[in-house]
Amino acid sequence: MRDFLTVDRVANQIRLRRSTYTGTFLLVEGSSDKTFYTRFVDQLVCELVETSGKPSSKQRAIEILKILEESNFQGVLAIVDADFDRFETLLYTSPNLLRTDSHDLETMLINSPAFNKVLAEFGSEEKIAQFTQDVRLVLIENGISVGYLLWISKSNGLNLTFEGITFSKFLNERTLQIDELKLIQEIKNKSQAFSLNEKDMQERLKSQKSNNHDPWQICCGHDLVEILSFGLRKALGSNKAADVEPNSLERSLRLAYEEIYFYQTQLYLDIKTWESKNQPFRVLRNYT
């Protein structure tokens, strides 16, 4: 139902809720984000509000925050995925708007010890040992090609479709290396962008990769999980596709993510800073 509510309606609901609730309102993008952050939030003093819908959950979270801030509403905080924000001129900044440490929540999960647990659970020790690199590095070195193409598409208004691309069409099942031309062809076909010049896209991708950006800011977590899912069927393990499908793996990563990992993030420190500047409002559970 929330998908059909305008940002004004959601902002008004929060204002009305304030008459009976004195705690913090924490805006998060989607249901998986809400599930994740609920573990660290003191629900007696902080209420999570999911902002999923169109045009995008992130944009909706920011718009709702702006509306509330313009009316001097106190005790509201938004946490959104960083995406490519750290490389772009931001349209809106606010001390009440925080971003994930890396590109998104899923990359934060993969770049934590939770990943090692999931890999140990679903992977084959013998097969993993055949890789000369850490599996995490294999994922980000290949996932970065998809991330850069997404950034190129967004920056140039190409409106290419990345959702639903079939990774098996451009991933080597033995090495997990990406064939970049086949990747571009798959995105071109999925987008029905038949006038897209493949060689030009290859050159743009090559140019972007030469900038040596932090791959954790470029790679999309969902893409890394797709590569991991593909790898756990043959290169890294012997699982059936249904047992390691991406949504299931992301759920496993969230479950394997311990509180102590969160306490070591910049996001945690940012929330603590927000709490200290916005007393008496609180977000996090106290821990010892």
Side-chain angles (χ1 to χ4, degrees), residues 228-240:
L228 177 63
S229 170
F230 183 79
L232 287 170
R233 298 172 216 170
K234 190 157 189 178
L236 302 170
S238 307
N239 298 275
K240 294 176 183 175

Side-chain angles (χ1 to χ4, degrees), residues 180-198:
E180 290 181 347
L181 181 56
K182 287 181 179 177
L183 165 63
I184 291 167
Q185 290 168 342
E186 168 66 0
I187 292 168
K188 178 178 177 176
N189 291 335
K190 184 66 71 174
S191 309
Q192 296 190 314
F194 304 117
S195 61
L196 189 73
N197 187 308
E198 294 170 14

